[in-house]
Amino acid sequence: MISRRSFIKRTLTAGAGFIVAPTIVPASVFGPNAPSNRINIGAIGTGRISRDHDMPGVWKYDNARIVAVSDLDTNRMADAKKLVESYYTQKSGKPYTGVAVYEHYEDLLADKDIDAVLISTPDHWHAKNAIDAVRAGKHVYLQKPTSLTIEEGRKMSNAVNASGRILQIGSQQRSMEQFRVACELVRNGRIGDLKKVEIRLPGDPPGGGMEEMPVPKNFNYDKWLGQTPYVFYTVDRVHPQQGYDRPGWLRCEQFGAGMITGWGAHHFDIAHWAMDKEYSGPVEIYGKASFATGGLWDVHGEYETEMVYDNGVVVTGTTDSREKPNGVMFTGTDGWIFVSRGSYAASSSDPISTTSKALQASDLKILSPLTDQDPVRLYVSTDHHGNWLDSIRTGGKNITPAEVAHRSCTACLLQHIAMKLNRRLYWDPILERFKNDDEANAMISRPHRSPYNF
């Protein structure tokens, strides 16, 4: 691929055109992998999760190389270019300036030398970014959740499956040993018949400044709002202009559902894995939550949800506490298993876990190694980004494909709808519609603002 790359790449940033000339580096700089076999990657969205987790997750591999970055904040885009080039310079011991920049992600997708993309944009852009990427022939690593609405998630999964491209959702817990082991133990009946799954998530604080501010010259705010309604700019609605702290958009319902999808996409995915319901969903949902009435940030606060699946298993959701810390609790007729991330954090600004014990059980015998008497073995991945790269290279199955990701996100969004309506809902996971409930069905989708509709 590098042998076919242009020496000159024309890019556009912040209203001024300039030329970036990538440095062509011999294969020896990046290890034994021939340049023609390397996977060229573009990073779309270069904020905190991209810098802390996604770009480092792929640049450590010699069979992949980040060759381009794109962000609607040109300061962040310049920071990302510098970050990637500094890493490769340090790795090779030689100056490297081979990263192209694109103000518009569509131009990055048009680059035929790019094979795959990391999408680390805000939640409301995920589905459209992914759809556009696979239609452009790119493989995708997509930060969770998959979509802002259930309808968008269905469109995303359909587009990925039609394209033949590989999409990996960023539910990296599937590549953490304790979560796979917990699911294998549950599936093999170590706690008897599974009856209940408890999901405990961190909360988001209320607040956020409401003062209208001028849009920074380095930021394409209208496009950042994308398909959502136009609202005035204020920094607490978007991301900091200095540094990479936790952004305010995570706490605004206009751009996402809050922790129920933000962390829920991880934990409810693990519940589905253990229950063997990865391609299905609940049939009944109930939820209630408190919502802030003052300030800018309006996602849910403390909440309680309950979902019933067709096998009779009840899955509940609550805000975590010191007594019941962040994680997943499986309870069966013969005991329980609790699994969490322990001390792991994907980003420096992630909420801190209140327990460092990643895998616990009511009886230590439950956690004993699997034997021939335990027939169920689940897909093994030891590195989530590495698994994605391996799947691209071999054409094999990856650990969290698009449909699995959509179903996990759907379970979260169903709970959010139930929180808003504060009543029991009945869901058909095959038709992906509520039963005899026009009010709830109207919340499966949202209007899209032109020209960002899809």
Side-chain angles (χ1 to χ4, degrees):
M1 293 171 189
I2 190 67
S3 62
R4 299 193 299 272
R5 285 186 65 81
S6 301
F7 276 74
I8 301 296
K9 224 173 233 312
R10 297 186 179 274
T11 63
L12 185 65
T13 67
F18 70 95
I19 296 174
V20 176
T23 300
I24 305 302
V25 181
S28 59
V29 170
F30 293 99
N33 297 279
S36 60
N37 294 329
R38 271 201 307 266
I39 301 166
N40 285 343
I41 295 173
I44 300 172
T46 59
R48 124 199 115 98
I49 198 67
S50 180
R51 295 172 62 89
D52 288 357
H53 184 62
D54 287 335
M55 290 193 293
V58 299
W59 70 28
K60 64 185 178 183
Y61 287 96
D62 287 338
N63 68 346
R65 189 177 51 144
I66 299 172
V67 299
V69 295
S70 176
D71 201 288
L72 295 175
D73 185 325
T74 56
N75 287 348
R76 289 189 160 206
M77 183 168 62
D79 282 353
K81 174 179 169 65
K82 181 178 179 181
L83 178 68
V84 176
E85 291 178 348
S86 294
Y87 174 82
Y88 287 139
T89 294
Q90 184 177 17
K91 182 175 182 177
S92 67
K94 300 177 182 179
Y96 179 73
T97 57
V99 177
V101 294
Y102 292 96
E103 180 184 359
H104 298 287
Y105 79 92
E106 296 92 340
D107 295 331
L108 184 152
L109 295 179
D111 186 338
K112 297 186 182 303
D113 289 325
I114 292 175
D115 308 299
V117 292
L118 299 168
I119 297 175
S120 312
T121 53
D123 294 0
H124 63 291
W125 266 102
H126 285 180
K128 180 166 174 55
N129 285 155
I131 290 169
D132 289 347
V134 297
R135 287 177 176 169
K138 314 303 183 189
H139 301 287
V140 174
Y141 188 100
L142 178 65
Q143 262 305 318
K144 51 77 214 162
T146 56
S147 59
L148 189 64
T149 67
I150 294 170
E151 180 186 67
E152 290 177 8
R154 170 47 55 210
K155 289 181 178 179
M156 184 279 300
S157 183
N158 288 350
V160 173
N161 292 330
S163 73
R165 300 297 90 184
I166 292 170
L167 182 142
Q168 178 94 301
I169 197 69
S171 54
Q172 69 271 11
Q173 290 180 171
R174 284 206 178 212
S175 296
M176 300 172 73
E177 184 180 20
Q178 70 269 29
F179 287 99
R180 174 179 53 79
V181 168
C183 292
E184 286 180 329
L185 293 172
V186 171
R187 285 224 203 169
N188 281 294
R190 287 293 186 89
I191 58 173
D193 294 332
L194 181 63
K195 295 297 184 181
K196 184 177 181 180
V197 185
E198 298 175 66
I199 307 293
R200 304 161 188 166
L201 304 175
D204 267 318
M210 297 287 287
E211 178 188 1
E212 183 172 0
M213 299 177 179
V215 177
K217 293 181 179 179
N218 54 285
F219 185 41
N220 187 340
Y221 178 59
D222 184 80
K223 188 169 185 178
W224 184 92
L225 287 172
Q227 41 123 328
T228 73
Y230 184 86
V231 286
F232 67 80
Y233 173 85
T234 186
V235 69
D236 283 352
R237 198 193 303 277
V238 189
H239 57 252
Q241 280 296 300
Q242 299 294 326
Y244 291 88
D245 289 339
R246 190 171 177 80
W249 65 260
L250 283 165
R251 299 159 181 159
C252 297
E253 277 200 341
Q254 180 165 342
F255 314 116
M259 282 293 184
I260 194 64
T261 53
W263 269 59
H266 290 296
H267 287 349
F268 289 99
D269 176 60
I270 295 302
H272 280 182
W273 204 16
M275 295 162 59
D276 194 15
K277 292 294 180 181
E278 297 167 274
Y279 294 92
S280 184
V283 294
E284 295 182 28
I285 312 99
Y286 173 75
K288 63 179 180 179
S290 63
F291 291 88
T293 56
L296 182 69
W297 298 333
D298 57 357
V299 295
H300 69 85
E302 293 188 0
Y303 77 102
E304 294 180 13
T305 59
E306 178 183 280
M307 297 189 293
V308 181
Y309 286 70
D310 61 4
N311 58 3
V313 175
V314 176
V315 180
T316 64
T318 58
T319 309
D320 67 357
S321 65
R322 291 198 174 276
E323 294 74 28
K324 292 189 172 184
N326 182 343
V328 185
M329 171 78 84
F330 298 100
T331 301
T333 54
D334 298 331
W336 56 262
I337 293 171
F338 176 75
V339 62
S340 74
R341 293 187 181 185
S343 58
Y344 167 84
S347 168
S348 58
S349 61
D350 268 2
I352 299 172
S353 175
T354 56
T355 179
S356 60
K357 296 180 180 179
L359 188 60
Q360 305 172 52
S362 54
D363 187 326
L364 287 178
K365 292 180 181 178
I366 292 172
L367 302 181
S368 59
L370 296 176
T371 70
D372 291 341
Q373 303 303 311
D374 302 302
V376 178
R377 297 293 190 276
L378 298 177
Y379 187 122
V380 176
S381 166
T382 58
D383 185 282
H384 211 59
H385 292 92
N387 173 259
W388 175 59
L389 296 173
D390 286 344
S391 297
I392 294 172
R393 190 179 69 253
T394 65
K397 180 182 177 182
N398 58 308
I399 194 166
T400 48
E403 183 65 19
V404 169
H406 166 61
R407 295 292 182 162
S408 298
C409 184
T410 294
C412 300
L413 291 169
L414 288 172
Q415 291 169 88
H416 187 249
I417 292 171
M419 289 180 200
K420 304 297 282 189
L421 296 178
N422 194 24
R423 57 182 170 82
R424 190 163 293 274
L425 306 172
Y426 299 89
W427 178 251
D428 185 330
I430 297 175
L431 298 177
E432 293 185 298
R433 299 282 294 176
F434 291 101
K435 297 179 179 179
N436 302 315
D437 197 326
D438 291 342
E439 183 181 23
N441 280 323
M443 300 174 75
I444 292 174
S445 63
R446 295 192 198 179
H448 287 176
R449 183 172 68 103
S450 182
Y452 308 107
N453 47 302
F454 63 102

